[in-house]
Amino acid sequence: MKIDLSGWWSLRLEPECAAEPQHGEIRIPGILQAQGFGEDISLDTPWVSGLHDPLWYQRKEYAFGAENPDGVKVPFLAQPPKHYIGKAWYERSVAVTEECETWTLFIELTRWRSQVWVDGVYQGEDVSLCAAHQIPIHGMKPGIHRITVCIDNSFQYPYRPDGHGVSDALGGTWNGMAGEVALLDEEELEKRSAARLEYAKQHPRNIKVQDGRFWVDGRPEYFRGTHFGGDYPLTGCPSVELDWWRQMMKKVKEWGLNFIRFHSNCPPEAAFAAADEAGVYLQPECGMWNVFSEGIPMLEVLRRETRKILEQFGHHPSFVLFSPTNEPGGSWYGPLKQWVKETRAYDEELGYGGRRVYTAQSGWFYDTEPGKITGTDYLYFHRSAYGPYLGGNIRNSEGWKGKDYAPSLEGASLPVICHELGQWCAYPDFSVIERFTGYLRPGNYEIFRETARKHGLLEKNKELAFCSGKNQVMMYKEDLEADFRTPGLYGFELLDLHDYLGQGTALVGVLDPFWQEKGYVTPQEWKQFCSPLVLLARIPSYVVTSREVMDISLEVCYFGRKKGEIEPVFWSLLEDGREMQTGQTQVDLSAPGKNLDAGSIRLDFRRWKKNTSLVLSVRCRDAENHWDFHVYADPVLKSGRAENPKHPVLYTRTWTEALRGLSKGEAVVYSPYQSALGYQCPPLALKPVFWNAQMGPSWGRTVGLCCEKEHPVFADFPTERWGGWQWEDILNQARGMDMSGFPEELCSMVRPIDDWNRGLPLSMMFECRVGEGRLLVVSACLEGSFSERPAAYSLKQSICRYAASEAFCPTVQVAAEQIENLLFPDFWMREKQPEIRTEGTGGPVSALLDGNPDNAFFIEAEHYPMAVEFHLKQPERAAGMVYLPEQRSRMHEGDIREYRILAKEGDGWRTVLEGEAESGSYLQKFFFAEPVEADGFRLEVLSGYTRPGRMEWMEEKDGWHQRAASAGCRAEFSILSLIPVEKDGRNPAEGENFGQDEVPWKKAVRSKTKEIDD
């Protein structure tokens, strides 16, 4: 018998967990925050998350969220309507009509701990984040009874606060009872148990690992998957609707995938049932992202959650992979090998032996080389820690352009699934805000939209989203094809197919948070490189010259169900849709596998006499794939000054020379040296932000490129709106110019897209008038020979031809001073080599002198003030100081607030400026009332953006705990430099030894953030 307990319950919240006592009625199934209970979101909301800046509201970027009259909006997640952590008491009457010795309170979904009283008598409790709570109730005779349930969604064990079963990142801290809530008698429990066993018999499954591969029901298999963190933006709690999960499975298969990994969470029954129907494989995890070491209590918690999952869901044929945890901490290898052994044995005890395989963890490398790993059925990581690639990477650019990740997996005998592949960002389309019609609120998107509005970018939103999205897809294509090419890799898990709403907001999906298409790639396009049959080509470069002949080997990764044979493979090289070269090879598809030889082809590019774009198309059966080539013909014009009898053009790297030409009314192309642009001009790259810039901040953080492809400047340099691979070398030697304050109508032909948190209005190429002269500014180094840098060389020639033509006729007037504001002598400190002294601990001094914003200098002490002094070898004249806050710190604990600047006069110091700096990522300039000449300057930090005693999450031996943060004072500087003034008629950015394109920030600097360090 079952007694349904859905309906209205009385609710009472604990006074110590709410600012005021709250009580009322609540609909069950349901969650209290969705029904008006809990606390309003505030600046001090105690979010369960260790991956956000707790003092975010002090930062300039997010002032809109902190000061909004409609209520606080936070930038690091999509927020719930209310927030509540603690005990909530639910109570109602229930009529029992039949005699039963033991009833069981069944709560399909709840958070952490539930306790039950009947008529005031305590009955028991259950604790789980992964499975239904089941609490026996004794002595409940027929009649009317009062049932009281206390749900406590506060931390019960030292889990990491970022696991998806416990964190606010995706709304996991709801309090309530969802899904089925009922009283079940003994007969009903036995019937359900028998039904699970019968279901398993009717839906057999066998999976094993053999010969380094996965075999499912006797057939080799390849797991093409996506991450799912348990985000339910409309309902707030997991959906138990079968149709909801059917739609997800349909979407997963529509995009060529066959697998879902549930990161540190386990879905409800409906997910497994829908996956069974659709033929989608699942890997649930035990709700943990945690510390594991021998002997700690968390091992018993893991054991209990594991058994609950197997008991409730082990009968499902979709449940073929099982992992205990995401990215474990501690000495995890030993105890988690034991977990594999125990879990396999318990599965067999339940009668489910052979239905799934087990991995010791999802995420980290092991403490031994791949070929010597034991105690796990398969490996699930994103790096091996061995081989020549950084950290043994099996994702990212080491395997792109025809290569693979085999060097990282040398000797591996177990199949490998790549953990959290991709993570490439695209700019948000703010129309998604309208889809937030349920539980979660898009405060994060609203903040980012306001940033775009402030910087004049909102009207360009659709273009920014589209172009960044096309660039994102280019990256994913390379990632996936490298995975398919790599021997030993038999799966991947995208992070994510759809956008991720927490941990800083990671817009890494090609689908939006509601699993809807964004408009820049279709499933059909995506499945060219993500499907059971993928055609692959080992292409070393997509940029070629008309001097080249390229031999390309073709191969196939095939894990389809159709019985195969020797199949023809057709290829074509296309120009504007016309076949220029064609051919045919063949491939043996009689057995599934990867690295199946499909022959080789030869592409002859010598016939092309002009710059052009080509497409290589390869087809087999109903599958097709394609790759873009950018061909550059032998140069026609010489480098340097492009002469035309009627329209001479001055091409220069110095502003002094450019200004001289402009004053004569000339046409000028100005390409400043990379070392001459100011620190408001970040470096560029074709690869976009990885995961997101809140969690992995850096100075360079672009997410794509917008090109005015029809502009005549590109007449000899074909490009797409979003750029393409021909821009990679150019962007790697370029900086984006911050166009804040420039006329809105200015024509910018190349607009890098800055990350949505900082949102700088960048340009890499624009044109204007300065006085009577015509000026084109390009902030990329285009130097180098045609053979060394064919794309850069060809772009330079195209620019010069355009500037020499009648078409070069800009109308927008710009003052010379606006151009000069973009310039700064980045290496002034390195050249002057002042002696650095500090009051308080400080260092490293090299970071203050090298001019590299990706390195940081710090000073710290127990109390303010702190100070840093520059002692110069000779007096220097300065207009002020330039300050760039630490660019790579997630928590921004070193941003300075009140400051005083002093200049040395004899043996004493004179105050020349006092002020208050802003917290944030933007460049700040502190100008003196008038230039000061001195041989010493001192910056005193009088206060900072901090809050003594604030709580932070810390990893300890047994798990994660909240502790009071250090009370010390800290100041951090990515850049702190004097602002030199004009000397001998030269711009300070063009002093001695200024002309450099080899700049220190080009060198890779490893992230401070291990979760996303790639």
Side-chain angles (χ1 to χ4, degrees):
M1 181 181 179
K2 166 185 169 181
I3 301 175
D4 185 3
L5 296 179
S6 63
W8 290 100
W9 293 57
S10 66
L11 175 70
R12 175 172 54 87
L13 304 187
E14 286 281 8
E16 63 265 28
C17 301
E20 297 180 1
Q22 296 186 27
H23 56 83
E25 288 194 321
I26 184 171
R27 186 83 182 178
I28 295 297
I31 61 180
L32 67 85
Q33 295 97 325
Q35 298 184 49
F37 297 97
E39 296 299 303
D40 290 336
I41 306 305
S42 71
L43 300 181
D44 295 318
T45 293
W47 299 106
V48 178
S49 163
L51 295 173
H52 75 277
D53 178 1
L55 304 182
W56 63 271
Y57 50 84
Q58 297 182 335
R59 304 193 65 211
K60 183 177 181 180
E61 292 95 313
Y62 310 131
F64 173 78
E67 301 165 359
N68 195 279
D70 297 329
V72 171
K73 302 175 187 294
V74 300
F76 48 87
L77 51 78
Q79 65 203 56
K82 300 276 187 176
H83 195 265
Y84 182 80
I85 300 293
K87 294 180 179 179
W89 300 83
Y90 302 79
E91 194 168 81
R92 64 163 287 173
S93 295
V94 59
V96 177
T97 59
E98 294 189 14
E99 188 79 34
C100 179
E101 182 177 338
T102 303
W103 292 87
T104 295
L105 174 64
F106 182 91
I107 308 172
E108 184 176 2
L109 294 168
T110 190
R111 277 290 166 265
W112 287 102
R113 187 179 300 273
S114 61
Q115 297 174 297
V116 180
W117 289 257
V118 174
D119 300 326
V121 178
Y122 180 69
Q123 298 292 323
E125 66 175 30
D126 201 353
V127 185
S128 178
L129 293 166
C130 297
H133 286 206
Q134 301 183 68
I135 305 171
I137 297 175
H138 304 285
M140 193 162 62
K141 303 294 183 181
I144 304 297
H145 298 275
R146 195 72 177 165
I147 184 167
T148 305
V149 179
C150 177
I151 303 294
D152 187 351
N153 67 336
S154 63
F155 260 54
Q156 307 295 308
Y157 304 113
Y159 280 39
R160 176 166 176 161
D162 308 299
H164 292 138
V166 304
S167 175
D168 277 308
L170 297 178
T173 58
W174 54 271
N175 187 308
M177 294 182 280
E180 183 183 15
V181 183
L183 290 172
L184 309 179
D185 66 9
E186 293 168 325
E187 182 180 351
E188 177 68 17
L189 284 174
E190 290 171 1
K191 184 173 71 174
R192 293 186 178 197
S193 178
R196 287 193 288 269
L197 290 171
E198 182 61 26
Y199 185 90
K201 290 179 183 177
Q202 294 176 2
H203 299 82
R205 173 68 83 211
N206 178 267
I207 180 172
K208 63 181 179 180
V209 168
Q210 181 178 316
D211 301 326
R213 294 195 285 179
F214 296 104
W215 295 75
V216 179
D217 297 334
R219 183 180 180 83
E221 188 56 282
Y222 197 104
F223 293 98
R224 306 179 306 277
T226 182
H227 160 286
F228 182 65
D231 50 314
Y232 306 90
L234 296 180
T235 60
C237 61
S239 175
V240 296
E241 299 297 328
L242 190 57
D243 282 347
W244 190 93
W245 288 99
R246 282 171 173 157
Q247 289 301 312
M248 178 190 281
M249 302 305 159
K250 179 182 178 182
K251 188 70 69 171
V252 164
K253 296 195 74 173
E254 182 183 7
W255 287 80
L257 305 176
N258 64 359
F259 159 55
I260 302 174
R261 175 215 171 192
F262 294 88
H263 177 312
S264 60
N265 76 103
C266 182
E269 170 73 20
F272 292 93
D276 292 350
E277 291 180 3
V280 173
Y281 303 116
L282 305 183
Q283 177 182 288
E285 294 174 357
C286 296
M288 297 183 178
W289 181 355
N290 226 68
V291 173
F292 295 98
S293 298
E294 297 288 357
I296 67 172
M298 284 304 299
L299 294 176
E300 182 55 35
V301 177
L302 172 62
R303 184 175 293 110
R304 290 201 305 267
E305 290 284 49
T306 298
R307 295 189 170 205
K308 282 177 175 285
I309 290 170
L310 292 176
E311 289 162 5
Q312 292 192 27
F313 310 120
H315 57 293
H316 286 285
S318 56
F319 183 1
V320 297
L321 304 173
F322 199 11
S323 172
T325 179
N326 176 70
E327 296 175 354
S331 301
W332 55 266
Y333 186 19
L336 294 185
K337 280 198 297 186
Q338 182 64 24
W339 176 88
V340 170
K341 181 179 179 181
E342 290 180 2
T343 303
R344 183 184 294 111
Y346 192 67
D347 240 347
E348 292 173 354
E349 183 181 326
L350 292 172
Y352 299 145
R355 295 179 71 86
R356 73 199 101 257
V357 290
Y358 317 88
T359 186
Q361 56 90 44
S362 309
W364 293 143
F365 53 82
Y366 290 69
D367 60 3
T368 186
E369 57 194 89
K372 296 180 180 178
I373 297 172
T374 61
T376 183
D377 292 332
Y378 61 102
L379 305 179
Y380 203 116
F381 52 43
H382 63 265
R383 65 181 65 174
S384 68
Y386 288 84
Y389 296 163
L390 174 65
N393 256 353
I394 57 169
R395 64 184 189 190
N396 213 313
S397 53
E398 287 88 352
W400 293 3
K401 298 177 185 171
K403 300 189 292 296
D404 57 46
Y405 307 109
S408 296
L409 299 175
E410 185 176 353
S413 58
L414 299 174
V416 180
I417 297 177
C418 181
H419 171 259
E420 298 183 355
L421 183 72
Q423 305 188 44
W424 303 115
C425 286
Y427 194 85
D429 181 341
F430 296 120
S431 66
V432 75
I433 291 173
E434 299 170 5
R435 292 184 177 170
F436 283 84
T437 58
Y439 182 73
L440 293 181
R441 312 298 167 86
N444 47 351
Y445 283 94
E446 292 174 309
I447 291 172
F448 307 146
R449 181 176 62 184
E450 183 62 21
T451 298
R453 179 183 285 110
K454 281 170 45 182
H455 289 138
L457 297 173
L458 191 54
E459 65 181 22
K460 301 180 178 67
N461 181 227
K462 292 292 184 183
E463 183 73 358
L464 300 180
F466 179 84
C467 290
S468 68
K470 298 296 278 189
N471 186 67
Q472 176 196 54
V473 172
M474 283 169 45
M475 305 299 119
Y476 278 124
K477 178 175 167 65
E478 289 299 305
D479 269 335
L480 291 170
E481 291 181 358
D483 193 285
F484 288 128
R485 285 192 298 264
T486 302
L489 269 177
Y490 284 94
F492 60 82
E493 160 234 338
L494 293 169
L495 186 59
D496 191 319
L497 186 63
H498 77 312
D499 282 343
Y500 183 98
L501 292 172
Q503 292 183 13
T505 312
L507 307 182
V508 297
V510 294
L511 304 180
D512 72 16
F514 304 93
W515 296 81
Q516 301 301 307
E517 292 182 29
K518 293 183 178 181
Y520 52 75
V521 62
T522 66
Q524 293 72 31
E525 292 169 327
W526 180 266
K527 284 195 289 188
Q528 288 192 19
F529 49 87
C530 182
S531 67
L533 195 166
V534 179
L535 303 166
L536 303 164
R538 299 218 176 229
I539 301 171
S541 176
Y542 304 123
V543 175
V544 296
T545 73
S546 60
R547 302 169 181 172
E548 295 181 54
V549 175
M550 182 181 289
D551 291 314
I552 298 172
S553 60
L554 303 179
E555 59 189 67
V556 173
C557 183
Y558 175 61
F559 286 84
R561 293 291 185 265
K562 180 180 177 182
K563 183 175 176 59
E565 53 189 28
I566 295 178
E567 302 277 0
V569 177
F570 304 96
W571 65 269
S572 305
L573 188 64
L574 308 170
E575 183 179 25
D576 296 327
R578 303 188 312 274
E579 289 187 339
M580 310 303 291
Q581 292 178 232
T582 62
Q584 179 179 334
T585 64
Q586 62 184 28
V587 63
D588 185 352
L589 299 182
S590 59
K594 64 188 310 186
N595 304 113
L596 303 178
D597 183 13
S600 62
I601 62 177
R602 170 167 286 194
L603 301 183
D604 189 345
F605 298 107
R606 293 174 297 185
R607 63 179 296 173
W608 277 275
K609 306 304 181 186
K610 67 175 184 176
N611 300 340
T612 191
S613 294
L614 305 175
V615 176
L616 172 63
S617 174
V618 181
R619 304 172 302 284
C620 179
R621 287 188 179 173
D622 58 353
E624 180 182 358
N625 204 353
H626 77 276
W627 297 268
D628 296 330
F629 283 90
H630 309 281
V631 183
Y632 295 102
D634 280 339
V636 176
L637 292 180
K638 296 180 179 180
S639 62
R641 193 178 180 97
E643 295 291 354
N644 182 295
K646 295 182 180 179
H647 303 286
V649 175
L650 172 64
Y651 179 90
T652 180
R653 306 297 308 279
T654 74
W655 179 241
T656 302
E657 187 177 8
L659 202 55
R660 201 158 42 233
L662 292 168
S663 68
K664 299 175 183 178
E666 292 185 5
V668 177
V669 175
Y670 173 46
S671 174
Y673 285 101
Q674 295 294 284
S675 64
L677 289 164
Y679 290 112
Q680 75 273 38
C681 301
L684 304 179
L686 190 66
K687 283 203 300 188
V689 166
F690 185 86
W691 193 226
N692 69 82
Q694 283 188 44
M695 268 191 62
S698 63
W699 183 37
R701 50 166 84 174
T702 47
V703 292
L705 192 68
C706 292
C707 298
E708 298 292 333
K709 64 171 293 185
E710 302 304 327
H711 193 285
V713 76
F714 299 122
D716 297 314
F717 190 84
T719 183
E720 297 293 345
R721 289 161 58 192
W722 58 88
W725 284 109
Q726 73 270 40
W727 288 95
E728 183 179 33
D729 173 59
I730 295 167
L731 293 175
N732 285 342
Q733 299 193 50
R735 295 172 69 176
M737 295 173 285
D738 180 1
M739 304 302 286
S740 299
F742 278 75
E744 290 185 10
E745 61 272 23
L746 193 76
C747 179
S748 181
M749 296 86 88
V750 181
R751 284 179 281 116
I753 307 169
D754 203 39
D755 137 73
W756 54 87
N757 289 275
R758 187 172 63 188
L760 293 174
L762 299 179
S763 177
M764 198 202 81
M765 188 193 303
F766 68 88
E767 60 183 2
C768 62
R769 283 193 176 273
V770 177
E772 296 301 314
R774 293 166 294 148
L775 176 66
L776 187 151
V777 182
V778 54
S779 57
C781 170
L782 302 178
E783 307 308 303
S785 69
F786 174 76
S787 59
E788 293 170 332
R789 304 185 67 204
Y793 184 96
S794 299
L795 177 60
K796 180 178 177 180
Q797 298 304 312
S798 188
I799 289 171
C800 289
R801 290 190 188 101
Y802 164 67
S805 72
E806 297 283 355
F808 182 41
C809 190
T811 59
V812 178
Q813 193 76 28
V814 169
E817 291 75 17
Q818 287 184 280
I819 308 295
E820 291 167 358
N821 286 338
L822 295 171
L823 307 179
F824 188 83
D826 293 342
F827 300 146
W828 190 88
M829 291 282 285
R830 187 171 74 179
E831 291 171 2
K832 301 301 179 182
Q833 286 291 306
E835 179 188 353
I836 306 297
R837 302 176 191 172
T838 64
E839 287 185 5
T841 305
V845 170
S846 60
L848 200 58
L849 299 177
D850 64 8
N852 183 359
D854 283 329
N855 293 328
F857 174 83
F858 74 92
I859 49 175
E860 59 184 12
E862 292 186 9
H863 304 284
Y864 294 108
M866 302 178 290
V868 55
E869 296 176 1
F870 303 154
H871 291 268
L872 298 153
K873 296 173 182 176
Q874 62 184 31
E876 297 287 347
R877 198 161 179 259
M881 276 190 177
V882 63
Y883 162 57
L884 187 66
E886 223 289 37
Q887 296 291 291
R888 298 176 70 86
S889 172
R890 180 188 295 167
M891 299 305 180
H892 304 278
E893 62 268 33
D895 287 3
I896 71 171
R897 193 167 199 157
E898 297 171 293
Y899 67 86
R900 179 186 299 124
I901 301 176
L902 304 93
K904 189 178 179 185
E905 291 187 343
D907 295 330
W909 295 91
R910 174 175 66 91
T911 298
V912 294
L913 183 64
E914 292 183 311
E916 185 168 308
E918 296 171 326
S919 179
S921 61
Y922 301 113
L923 180 75
Q924 299 172 60
K925 294 180 179 179
F926 308 145
F927 284 106
F928 307 148
E930 58 183 25
V932 174
E933 185 168 345
D935 61 3
F937 291 86
R938 172 185 171 95
L939 174 73
E940 293 181 349
V941 181
L942 308 179
S943 65
Y945 288 90
T946 185
R947 187 175 68 191
R950 65 179 173 84
M951 302 299 289
E952 62 181 30
W953 290 93
M954 300 180 182
E955 181 180 342
E956 298 180 6
K957 184 177 181 180
D958 67 331
W960 289 74
H961 300 271
Q962 273 194 307
R963 304 288 188 233
S966 169
C969 304
R970 186 178 178 91
E972 295 179 325
F973 311 87
S974 272
I975 294 294
L976 184 65
S977 174
L978 295 175
I979 302 174
V981 298
E982 186 176 282
K983 189 175 182 181
D984 300 328
R986 291 181 304 192
N987 187 287
E990 298 182 351
E992 296 178 10
N993 306 315
F994 82 96
Q996 297 185 48
D997 290 311
E998 288 301 318
V999 286
W1001 50 83
K1002 287 182 185 176
K1003 298 177 181 178
V1005 178
R1006 299 203 64 175
S1007 171
K1008 294 183 176 181
T1009 309
K1010 73 175 183 177
E1011 297 93 347
I1012 66 169
D1013 185 9
D1014 219 34

